[in-house]
Amino acid sequence: MLAFLLRRIGQSAFVMAAMALIVFVGVYALGNPIDILINPEADQIEREQAIARLGLDRPLWEQFWIFVKSAASGDLGRSFVHGVPAIDLIVSRMPATLELAFVALVLSIGLGIPLGLAAGVKPDSFVSRTIVTGSIFGFSLPNFWLGLMLILLFAVEWKILPAGGRGETRTLFGIEWSILTLDGLQHLILPALTLAIYKASLVVRLAYAGTREALLQDYVKFARAKGLRPSRILGVHVLKAILIPVVTVIGLELGSMIAFAVVTETVFAWPGMGKLLIESIYRLDRPVIVAYLIVVVALFVAINFLVDVIYTLLDPRVRLSEREA
Amino acid sequence: MSILPLETQARETALGRGWRAFAESRMAVLALGLVTLLIGVALAAPWITPQDPYDLTQLSILDNMLAPFSQSLDGRSFWLGTDDQGRDMLSAILYGLRLSLFVGVAATAIALLAGTTVGIVAAYFGGRIDAALMRLVDLQLSFPAILVALILLALLGKGVDKVIVALVSVQWAYYARTIRGAALVERRREYIEAAQCLALPRRRVIFRHLLPNAFPPLIVVATVQVAHAIALEATLSFLGVGVPITEPSLGLLIANGYGYMLSGKYWIAFYPGIALLVAIVAINLVGDRLRDVMNPRLRR
């Protein structure tokens, strides 16, 4: 286990380093920030002062060196637009995104597993077909359009939920949370649902396929022969078997939820780091883009690492094959 | 020579069998019909639309923001209403669909070509080449497509060609991984050994013997990926980093309607979304059915 952990940490570090390089070269080598960041009406002296101040006159490798040194010390440059350290900007927006992604994740599991189980038990019934076909709609629906339609229904037509923003927040551990106030929850529910539908469909399909396979297994027949209640067979024996693929996918999907939050946050004007990324792209605010990418890559690497470890703990087969290797 | 008719006959029956299995699901046949219809109207858009939405001389600003089924000043009726420029939404949607389908298909085709080449080379040569190429695939696939495409377009700028570049760069890895899996199995078969013993050139063994036999699983992946590509393009255009404003795709039409939605003018964003949804669902249903038909594990 220790060897596995060490090897996995090594891999993660390598991915981080490779991504830092790719991100930097991509963002700093392409595009011309000088035209965007400096007032076109500025005279030549002001221009040059600005270039020197922002470090844009240095050779590329030197800019990278500055970038790596400051990244290691937690300073990823200052936002060109806001004039504050980019990393602070990202971190201040991060709780909103994490809150949204987490609630969406809970929603997608809460919807997906029961529906998938129900569909898998009687695969030929009308209900089951409706659920499975519905799941195709669920992941065909363009995320942003779904969000617009929810706004149209709940905010414009029925006027029962707000169309955007974060609502009232309450501070806990020095961070503001929407989930702790009624108003905040009302603001949270539509974006979270929008973000959750796609993953819920994915979970439905996984749980459906897993249930169908598990029901044919000998241990389920045995449990039935033993006279266990059907609810116990489903809720304990089958559920355990389908949880393994679901946990992996959920882990990986948490990362993609954070990425997809970019779209949802734009639609619902949710002040998370995804919206910040889009604003920064419009304004070519490169330090913020770079900081966002580095933070997100670090998050992904951490999530993948955790999923691998949890997976090893959950599934004895993985543990055994690791030992042989 | 006498072998040829026999061979074609066998292929026909295999295709026929595949079609029969496919047609068992009425929903899938319906979806296939819808896909054909959508491709048809998209291709025919310049001839069947009431108005050329790109031609400013045909637009009248006095017709702007009309609700569905209202009449224009000169008596034409707008079935799906008009947008803020007085543009007929039906025409705009058909032209948008044309662009969305084109981008989706083109990106998928190019990604298929690139991914297949990488995957099959990796499977055939194995060893370090395989390990290096597959690390690259893993790295690519560990990041969500939307994020990679967004960043690429933020750097490249707007444009139909740039959207295609971005879509290809996020999709090739799926094909590479799929074909590698299939080719690794095929590679150990006797016919490959036989072809190698005949001292056929390597390129011929890879592309004439290995590739056709490893290809079928890719058909399903490619179908589903067309739908993905269309959805991704729409998302990117909605976010304002996709196609330019002069050539609106469905995503950009929806983005345009977003601003008017809160004032109750729903149709500008609603109908393009329906077109997008129908296209994606139909393609996904076809792909889903193809997967069932081609999956030997579910074959009775």
Side-chain angles (χ1 to χ4, degrees), chain B residues 36-109:
Chain B
T36 320
L37 180 75
L38 286 177
I39 294 174
V41 296
L43 286 177
W47 296 281
I48 61 171
T49 51
Q51 182 188 75
D52 180 354
Y54 303 148
D55 183 4
L56 295 177
T57 59
Q58 292 188 23
L59 307 181
S60 164
I61 195 74
L62 295 173
D63 288 336
N64 77 328
M65 306 295 249
L66 291 176
F69 296 110
S70 42
Q71 301 261 312
S72 76
L73 291 173
D74 49 6
R76 289 171 302 157
S77 81
F78 296 112
W79 290 355
L80 300 182
T82 58
D83 69 0
D84 51 331
Q85 309 283 330
R87 199 181 278 145
D88 173 39
M89 281 315 291
L90 179 64
S91 308
I93 287 171
L94 290 186
Y95 272 84
L97 185 68
R98 192 177 154 90
L99 185 62
S100 292
L101 287 179
F102 168 72
V103 170
V105 171
T108 306

Side-chain angles (χ1 to χ4, degrees), chain A residues 97-98 101 254-262 273 292 296 299-300 303:
Chain A
T97 297
L98 289 182
L254 183 64
S256 91
M257 267 189 175
I258 292 168
F260 251 100
V262 173
M273 54 183 190
Y292 174 86
V296 165
L299 262 174
F300 277 23
I303 290 170

Side-chain angles (χ1 to χ4, degrees), chain B residues 102-104 106-108 110 153 159-169:
Chain B
F102 168 72
V103 170
T108 306
I110 300 172
L153 283 172
V160 175
D161 49 339
K162 284 156 189 157
V163 173
I164 294 178
V165 168
L167 291 179
V168 169
S169 25

Side-chain angles (χ1 to χ4, degrees), chain A residues 140 145 148-149 205 267 282 300, chain B residues 144 239 254 258 269 273 284 288:
Chain A
S140 297
W145 190 71
L148 290 187
M149 290 306 112
R205 293 178 78 78
V267 173
Y282 286 153
F300 277 23
Chain B
L239 289 174
I254 297 171
Y258 178 38
N284 274 341
D288 217 47

Side-chain angles (χ1 to χ4, degrees), chain A residues 23-264:
Chain A
V23 165
F24 176 84
V25 170
V27 177
Y28 274 67
L30 304 165
N32 187 358
I34 297 172
D35 296 338
I36 313 270
L37 293 166
I38 298 166
N39 190 343
E41 285 170 18
D43 60 32
Q44 199 57 33
I45 300 168
E46 281 172 0
R47 257 176 82 90
E48 265 154 31
Q49 279 173 345
I51 290 171
R53 181 162 48 86
L54 299 171
L56 299 174
D57 56 343
R58 312 276 177 84
L60 204 60
W61 64 267
E62 208 173 313
Q63 286 191 34
F64 180 64
W65 183 234
I66 298 171
F67 168 74
V68 169
K69 264 201 304 200
S70 43
S73 61
D75 173 15
L76 289 166
R78 293 178 89 84
S79 161
F80 291 154
V81 177
H82 301 272
V84 297
I87 193 82
D88 290 357
L89 212 53
I90 299 283
V91 169
S92 72
R93 299 284 199 103
M94 195 148 63
T97 297
L98 289 182
E99 182 179 54
L100 180 62
F102 181 72
V103 173
L105 194 68
V106 172
L107 267 179
S108 60
I109 299 173
L111 287 172
I113 287 187
L115 286 177
L117 264 177
V121 173
K122 286 181 186 159
D124 291 320
S125 68
F126 175 74
V127 174
S128 162
R129 275 168 199 232
T130 313
I131 293 174
V132 173
T133 312
S135 78
I136 294 182
F137 274 86
F139 64 68
S140 297
L141 271 171
N143 198 274
F144 63 97
W145 190 71
L146 175 67
L148 290 187
M149 290 306 112
L150 289 177
I151 293 181
L152 191 62
L153 272 186
F154 288 93
V156 181
E157 283 297 313
W158 300 335
K159 298 186 173 45
I160 45 177
L161 287 173
R166 231 190 135 177
E168 200 183 314
T169 55
R170 181 173 296 171
T171 310
L172 183 70
F173 307 124
I175 302 167
E176 292 185 357
W177 301 99
S178 290
I179 199 169
L180 298 175
T181 66
L182 185 64
D183 185 51
L185 266 181
Q186 280 177 342
H187 281 82
L188 183 60
I189 187 72
L190 286 187
L193 193 63
T194 307
L195 199 52
I197 291 284
Y198 180 90
K199 310 299 165 198
S201 314
L202 210 65
V203 175
V204 164
R205 293 178 78 78
L206 278 176
Y208 168 74
T211 310
R212 277 183 77 177
E213 270 178 32
L215 283 180
L216 300 173
Q217 300 286 324
D218 287 340
Y219 65 83
V220 172
K221 285 182 193 153
F222 185 71
R224 234 179 244 150
K226 217 162 62 167
L228 290 183
R229 274 176 294 120
S231 59
R232 189 174 161 82
I233 298 178
L234 274 187
V236 177
H237 298 259
V238 173
L239 188 65
K240 256 189 194 166
I242 63 172
L243 271 184
I244 293 171
V246 171
V247 165
T248 331
V249 169
I250 288 294
L252 298 175
E253 292 299 322
L254 183 64
S256 91
M257 267 189 175
I258 292 168
F260 251 100
V262 173
V263 183
T264 317

Side-chain angles (χ1 to χ4, degrees), chain B residues 99-230:
Chain B
L99 185 62
S100 292
L101 287 179
F102 168 72
V103 170
V105 171
T108 306
I110 300 172
L112 185 66
L113 202 70
T116 307
T117 314
V118 171
I120 204 133
V121 163
Y124 186 84
F125 290 102
R128 265 196 209 151
I129 297 179
D130 185 33
L133 288 175
M134 284 306 121
R135 274 293 89 76
L136 197 63
V137 167
D138 285 344
L139 190 67
Q140 167 94 59
L141 289 183
S142 62
F143 294 96
I146 177 80
L147 198 65
V148 179
L150 192 62
I151 298 302
L152 270 176
L153 283 172
L155 301 173
L156 296 173
K158 287 184 188 183
V160 175
D161 49 339
K162 284 156 189 157
V163 173
I164 294 178
V165 168
L167 291 179
V168 169
S169 25
V170 298
Q171 292 199 319
W172 67 273
Y174 293 98
Y175 302 108
R177 176 176 278 183
T178 311
I179 193 125
R180 173 179 172 269
L184 276 182
V185 178
E186 292 296 323
R187 197 190 159 351
R188 295 197 204 98
R189 295 276 168 87
E190 283 89 351
Y191 68 85
I192 295 294
E193 212 173 302
Q196 285 169 333
C197 290
L198 284 173
L200 292 179
R202 213 181 253 163
R203 207 188 311 149
R204 196 180 155 91
V205 178
I206 296 180
F207 290 102
R208 295 294 294 278
H209 295 261
L210 189 54
L211 180 61
N213 287 295
F215 199 73
L218 277 186
I219 299 171
V220 177
V221 179
T223 317
V224 177
Q225 287 297 326
V226 171
H228 265 233
I230 292 173

